[in-house]
Amino acid sequence: MFESNPGRSAGARLDPALAAMPMGRRLDELRRRMAAIPGKVGADAPATVAAHDLLPIPGPLGELLPSGGLMLGTVVACPRGAITSAILAAATSSGHQTAIVGEQFDRRRPSLIDIWEMGGTLERVALVDAAGADPAEIVSVLVDGVPVVVLAIPGLRLTPTQVETLRARVRGNRGLLVVTEGSWVRQPHLTIGCRLRGVGGIGRGLGRLSRIEMDVDVTSGQYARSGRLVLAASKDGRSRWIPAPTPAGLLRLAHTG
């Protein structure tokens, strides 16, 4: 199916890098390359994705993502914290069931309070304790009926066979797997990175944290976009993403060794 036809031009031959990949990863890479093709010459955004193939992410955060959201059937690498909570909030507020696979007493897993403050619906968030079990097997079962699964286990190691199996299950069920930890995630469809820049609301040793500013980077194949966002608290106890304002009022965090 993917072999070169001698009658074709050299430009039609399969990329050697693709030819060396397993079939599942090859298809993933082809989809990622197709998603990165601009809609027109000079455009920096990928071609439009059908609404039923996308989990929309509202606000400034979504504006950094290809087509304004996360493509279903893919694996996303994203650090723990506000971005992961924002994805869960967007999914649950849209009516999707979600699951967080982690360890019961791990305080670093996505916070339910954060998800609620960002507008999420906690009734649609299942907490799955993976202690003493096979996380890959748990995720494989969950993606049969849960559209969005977050795998948040520090130090997790998976074999290449397990990784390919997970990719195939996510792709076949048109789900979304968000992985927060682990170098085993080889070539995710999309990577979201963030760096804390500063906080606001704290006076001279007093006050309440009301704003968190961070730099967010999004990469997917040839697609790359960065922006500075602020997660700001509202008077109703909720929080929302806004574009970064002027630096006034933010406490800069110094980076040391």
Side-chain angles (χ1 to χ4, degrees):
M1 178 178 176
F2 288 96
E3 293 179 354
S4 297
N5 186 330
R8 294 181 182 176
S9 64
R13 294 174 184 168
L14 181 64
D15 183 342
L18 285 174
M21 294 181 182
M23 180 64 72
R25 188 180 300 175
R26 189 186 306 174
L27 292 173
D28 289 342
E29 178 63 18
L30 286 170
R31 287 190 178 93
R32 186 168 67 174
R33 292 186 185 185
M34 291 173 65
I37 297 174
K40 60 181 180 179
V41 176
D44 60 354
T48 302
V49 177
H52 62 271
D53 289 330
L54 193 73
L55 172 65
I57 306 295
L61 178 58
E63 294 174 4
L64 296 178
L65 300 173
S67 300
L70 301 173
M71 191 184 308
L72 300 178
T74 65
V75 178
V76 174
C78 177
R80 299 179 184 222
I83 304 296
T84 301
S85 296
I87 294 172
L88 289 167
T92 57
S93 64
S94 299
H96 296 295
Q97 296 294 327
T98 67
I100 303 172
V101 180
E103 298 175 348
Q104 183 177 1
F105 299 106
D106 184 1
R107 296 182 179 180
R108 295 175 296 170
R109 70 182 180 187
S111 166
L112 294 179
I113 294 177
D114 290 346
I115 297 169
W116 179 85
E117 288 180 346
M118 294 184 196
T121 304
L122 297 186
E123 290 81 359
R124 298 192 178 104
V125 181
L127 301 180
V128 182
D129 183 11
D134 181 357
E137 183 176 349
I138 292 174
V139 172
S140 292
V141 173
L142 284 173
V143 295
D144 275 338
V146 181
V148 180
V149 178
V150 173
L151 182 54
I153 300 180
L156 177 64
R157 294 178 180 271
L158 297 180
T159 66
T161 299
Q162 289 176 310
V163 173
E164 292 304 321
T165 299
L166 279 182
R167 286 179 179 271
R169 297 283 289 176
V170 172
R171 181 173 60 249
N173 287 281
R174 295 182 62 254
L176 178 67
L177 175 61
V178 179
V179 180
T180 66
E181 304 259 357
S183 58
W184 60 267
V185 192
R186 301 173 182 87
Q187 297 182 335
H189 297 87
L190 183 138
T191 300
I192 305 175
C194 64
R195 298 180 302 280
L196 187 62
R197 297 288 301 182
V199 295
I202 299 177
R204 297 184 177 180
L206 300 172
R208 181 179 179 182
L209 191 67
S210 62
R211 299 191 307 283
I212 302 175
E213 181 182 306
M214 61 186 70
D215 288 336
V216 179
D217 304 312
V218 178
T219 57
S220 178
Q222 297 178 359
Y223 180 92
R225 185 167 293 180
S226 300
R228 186 164 296 176
L229 304 179
V230 170
L231 184 61
S234 301
K235 293 182 179 179
D236 60 359
R238 300 282 182 148
S239 57
R240 69 189 188 281
W241 292 96
I242 61 175
T246 57
L250 284 172
L251 175 63
R252 297 299 169 185
L253 301 181
H255 295 278
T256 59

mmCIF file of all heavy atoms in Angstrom, residues 112-120 208-210 231-240:
data_model
loop_
_atom_site.group_PDB
_atom_site.id
_atom_site.type_symbol
_atom_site.label_atom_id
_atom_site.label_comp_id
_atom_site.label_asym_id
_atom_site.label_seq_id
_atom_site.Cartn_x
_atom_site.Cartn_y
_atom_site.Cartn_z
ATOM 1 N N LEU A 112 -9.647 19.253 41.394
ATOM 2 C CA LEU A 112 -11.080 19.383 41.117
ATOM 3 C C LEU A 112 -11.548 20.815 41.341
ATOM 4 O O LEU A 112 -12.437 21.312 40.643
ATOM 5 C CB LEU A 112 -11.872 18.424 42.004
ATOM 6 C CG LEU A 112 -11.665 16.930 41.745
ATOM 7 C CD1 LEU A 112 -12.494 16.106 42.718
ATOM 8 C CD2 LEU A 112 -12.006 16.571 40.311
ATOM 9 N N ILE A 113 -10.955 21.489 42.316
ATOM 10 C CA ILE A 113 -11.325 22.885 42.570
ATOM 11 C C ILE A 113 -10.989 23.747 41.360
ATOM 12 O O ILE A 113 -11.783 24.576 40.915
ATOM 13 C CB ILE A 113 -10.624 23.417 43.835
ATOM 14 C CG1 ILE A 113 -11.133 22.672 45.074
ATOM 15 C CG2 ILE A 113 -10.842 24.923 43.981
ATOM 16 C CD1 ILE A 113 -10.451 23.090 46.355
ATOM 17 N N ASP A 114 -9.798 23.538 40.801
ATOM 18 C CA ASP A 114 -9.400 24.300 39.614
ATOM 19 C C ASP A 114 -10.358 24.057 38.457
ATOM 20 O O ASP A 114 -10.724 24.988 37.729
ATOM 21 C CB ASP A 114 -7.978 23.937 39.193
ATOM 22 C CG ASP A 114 -6.927 24.435 40.170
ATOM 23 O OD1 ASP A 114 -7.275 25.279 41.023
ATOM 24 O OD2 ASP A 114 -5.775 23.982 40.089
ATOM 25 N N ILE A 115 -10.734 22.801 38.261
ATOM 26 C CA ILE A 115 -11.650 22.465 37.157
ATOM 27 C C ILE A 115 -12.983 23.173 37.347
ATOM 28 O O ILE A 115 -13.548 23.749 36.410
ATOM 29 C CB ILE A 115 -11.842 20.936 37.083
ATOM 30 C CG1 ILE A 115 -10.499 20.261 36.756
ATOM 31 C CG2 ILE A 115 -12.891 20.577 36.035
ATOM 32 C CD1 ILE A 115 -10.523 18.760 36.917
ATOM 33 N N TRP A 116 -13.502 23.159 38.582
ATOM 34 C CA TRP A 116 -14.785 23.828 38.856
ATOM 35 C C TRP A 116 -14.666 25.338 38.658
ATOM 36 O O TRP A 116 -15.543 25.960 38.061
ATOM 37 C CB TRP A 116 -15.235 23.529 40.283
ATOM 38 C CG TRP A 116 -16.521 24.211 40.629
ATOM 39 C CD1 TRP A 116 -17.788 23.766 40.378
ATOM 40 C CD2 TRP A 116 -16.668 25.496 41.248
ATOM 41 N NE1 TRP A 116 -18.713 24.681 40.813
ATOM 42 C CE2 TRP A 116 -18.061 25.758 41.352
ATOM 43 C CE3 TRP A 116 -15.765 26.445 41.733
ATOM 44 C CZ2 TRP A 116 -18.555 26.932 41.918
ATOM 45 C CZ3 TRP A 116 -16.263 27.610 42.291
ATOM 46 C CH2 TRP A 116 -17.637 27.846 42.381
ATOM 47 N N GLU A 117 -13.569 25.920 39.151
ATOM 48 C CA GLU A 117 -13.393 27.367 39.024
ATOM 49 C C GLU A 117 -13.311 27.806 37.560
ATOM 50 O O GLU A 117 -13.677 28.931 37.219
ATOM 51 C CB GLU A 117 -12.140 27.815 39.775
ATOM 52 C CG GLU A 117 -12.285 27.767 41.287
ATOM 53 C CD GLU A 117 -11.033 28.224 42.001
ATOM 54 O OE1 GLU A 117 -9.964 28.316 41.342
ATOM 55 O OE2 GLU A 117 -11.104 28.500 43.221
ATOM 56 N N MET A 118 -12.853 26.922 36.690
ATOM 57 C CA MET A 118 -12.764 27.252 35.268
ATOM 58 C C MET A 118 -14.052 26.947 34.512
ATOM 59 O O MET A 118 -14.081 27.030 33.288
ATOM 60 C CB MET A 118 -11.586 26.498 34.631
ATOM 61 C CG MET A 118 -10.241 26.931 35.141
ATOM 62 S SD MET A 118 -8.894 26.070 34.266
ATOM 63 C CE MET A 118 -7.514 26.408 35.369
ATOM 64 N N GLY A 119 -15.105 26.594 35.242
ATOM 65 C CA GLY A 119 -16.398 26.373 34.612
ATOM 66 C C GLY A 119 -16.730 24.927 34.325
ATOM 67 O O GLY A 119 -17.714 24.639 33.633
ATOM 68 N N GLY A 120 -15.925 24.002 34.851
ATOM 69 C CA GLY A 120 -16.164 22.588 34.598
ATOM 70 C C GLY A 120 -17.300 22.021 35.436
ATOM 71 O O GLY A 120 -17.745 22.625 36.417
ATOM 72 N N ARG A 208 -4.302 37.982 48.592
ATOM 73 C CA ARG A 208 -4.726 36.688 48.071
ATOM 74 C C ARG A 208 -4.357 36.605 46.600
ATOM 75 O O ARG A 208 -4.544 37.553 45.845
ATOM 76 C CB ARG A 208 -6.238 36.521 48.243
ATOM 77 C CG ARG A 208 -6.768 35.197 47.744
ATOM 78 C CD ARG A 208 -8.254 35.104 47.978
ATOM 79 N NE ARG A 208 -8.785 33.843 47.482
ATOM 80 C CZ ARG A 208 -10.067 33.518 47.528
ATOM 81 N NH1 ARG A 208 -10.943 34.369 48.050
ATOM 82 N NH2 ARG A 208 -10.478 32.351 47.055
ATOM 83 N N LEU A 209 -3.829 35.459 46.206
ATOM 84 C CA LEU A 209 -3.439 35.260 44.819
ATOM 85 C C LEU A 209 -4.666 35.379 43.919
ATOM 86 O O LEU A 209 -5.653 34.667 44.100
ATOM 87 C CB LEU A 209 -2.807 33.873 44.664
ATOM 88 C CG LEU A 209 -2.104 33.579 43.349
ATOM 89 C CD1 LEU A 209 -0.870 34.456 43.211
ATOM 90 C CD2 LEU A 209 -1.715 32.110 43.289
ATOM 91 N N SER A 210 -4.626 36.301 42.966
ATOM 92 C CA SER A 210 -5.780 36.526 42.095
ATOM 93 C C SER A 210 -5.461 36.407 40.617
ATOM 94 O O SER A 210 -6.375 36.317 39.805
ATOM 95 C CB SER A 210 -6.364 37.922 42.363
ATOM 96 O OG SER A 210 -5.409 38.932 42.069
ATOM 97 N N LEU A 231 -4.441 33.673 34.029
ATOM 98 C CA LEU A 231 -5.605 33.046 34.646
ATOM 99 C C LEU A 231 -6.025 33.950 35.800
ATOM 100 O O LEU A 231 -5.307 34.082 36.793
ATOM 101 C CB LEU A 231 -5.251 31.648 35.152
ATOM 102 C CG LEU A 231 -6.394 30.835 35.749
ATOM 103 C CD1 LEU A 231 -7.486 30.588 34.720
ATOM 104 C CD2 LEU A 231 -5.864 29.504 36.298
ATOM 105 N N ALA A 232 -7.181 34.598 35.648
ATOM 106 C CA ALA A 232 -7.615 35.628 36.598
ATOM 107 C C ALA A 232 -8.852 35.177 37.357
ATOM 108 O O ALA A 232 -9.767 34.571 36.790
ATOM 109 C CB ALA A 232 -7.904 36.937 35.853
ATOM 110 N N ALA A 233 -8.883 35.486 38.640
ATOM 111 C CA ALA A 233 -10.031 35.159 39.482
ATOM 112 C C ALA A 233 -11.142 36.178 39.287
ATOM 113 O O ALA A 233 -10.889 37.367 39.092
ATOM 114 C CB ALA A 233 -9.614 35.121 40.951
ATOM 115 N N SER A 234 -12.392 35.699 39.343
ATOM 116 C CA SER A 234 -13.560 36.573 39.240
ATOM 117 C C SER A 234 -14.213 36.714 40.613
ATOM 118 O O SER A 234 -13.941 35.932 41.533
ATOM 119 C CB SER A 234 -14.570 35.992 38.241
ATOM 120 O OG SER A 234 -13.988 35.834 36.972
ATOM 121 N N LYS A 235 -15.095 37.684 40.751
ATOM 122 C CA LYS A 235 -15.754 37.919 42.030
ATOM 123 C C LYS A 235 -16.690 36.772 42.412
ATOM 124 O O LYS A 235 -17.007 36.595 43.590
ATOM 125 C CB LYS A 235 -16.530 39.232 41.976
ATOM 126 C CG LYS A 235 -15.634 40.468 41.855
ATOM 127 C CD LYS A 235 -16.460 41.739 41.850
ATOM 128 C CE LYS A 235 -15.563 42.971 41.757
ATOM 129 N NZ LYS A 235 -16.350 44.230 41.735
ATOM 130 N N ASP A 236 -17.146 36.002 41.416
ATOM 131 C CA ASP A 236 -18.073 34.900 41.714
ATOM 132 C C ASP A 236 -17.346 33.615 42.114
ATOM 133 O O ASP A 236 -17.964 32.567 42.277
ATOM 134 C CB ASP A 236 -18.971 34.631 40.506
ATOM 135 C CG ASP A 236 -18.180 34.236 39.264
ATOM 136 O OD1 ASP A 236 -16.933 34.184 39.337
ATOM 137 O OD2 ASP A 236 -18.811 33.987 38.218
ATOM 138 N N GLY A 237 -16.024 33.706 42.296
ATOM 139 C CA GLY A 237 -15.266 32.533 42.703
ATOM 140 C C GLY A 237 -14.749 31.709 41.549
ATOM 141 O O GLY A 237 -13.996 30.751 41.755
ATOM 142 N N ARG A 238 -15.143 32.061 40.345
ATOM 143 C CA ARG A 238 -14.655 31.346 39.163
ATOM 144 C C ARG A 238 -13.384 32.021 38.654
ATOM 145 O O ARG A 238 -12.987 33.075 39.133
ATOM 146 C CB ARG A 238 -15.729 31.352 38.068
ATOM 147 C CG ARG A 238 -17.034 30.696 38.480
ATOM 148 C CD ARG A 238 -16.944 29.190 38.428
ATOM 149 N NE ARG A 238 -18.212 28.549 38.777
ATOM 150 C CZ ARG A 238 -18.607 27.387 38.264
ATOM 151 N NH1 ARG A 238 -17.848 26.763 37.388
ATOM 152 N NH2 ARG A 238 -19.754 26.854 38.630
ATOM 153 N N SER A 239 -12.752 31.386 37.677
ATOM 154 C CA SER A 239 -11.556 31.959 37.070
ATOM 155 C C SER A 239 -11.687 31.879 35.559
ATOM 156 O O SER A 239 -12.434 31.056 35.029
ATOM 157 C CB SER A 239 -10.294 31.226 37.543
ATOM 158 O OG SER A 239 -10.375 29.844 37.257
ATOM 159 N N ARG A 240 -10.974 32.742 34.871
ATOM 160 C CA ARG A 240 -11.071 32.781 33.408
ATOM 161 C C ARG A 240 -9.706 33.134 32.830
ATOM 162 O O ARG A 240 -8.880 33.768 33.477
ATOM 163 C CB ARG A 240 -12.119 33.791 32.968
ATOM 164 C CG ARG A 240 -11.730 35.235 33.243
ATOM 165 C CD ARG A 240 -12.889 36.193 32.984
ATOM 166 N NE ARG A 240 -12.475 37.586 33.053
ATOM 167 C CZ ARG A 240 -12.291 38.269 34.179
ATOM 168 N NH1 ARG A 240 -12.499 37.669 35.341
ATOM 169 N NH2 ARG A 240 -11.914 39.529 34.142
#
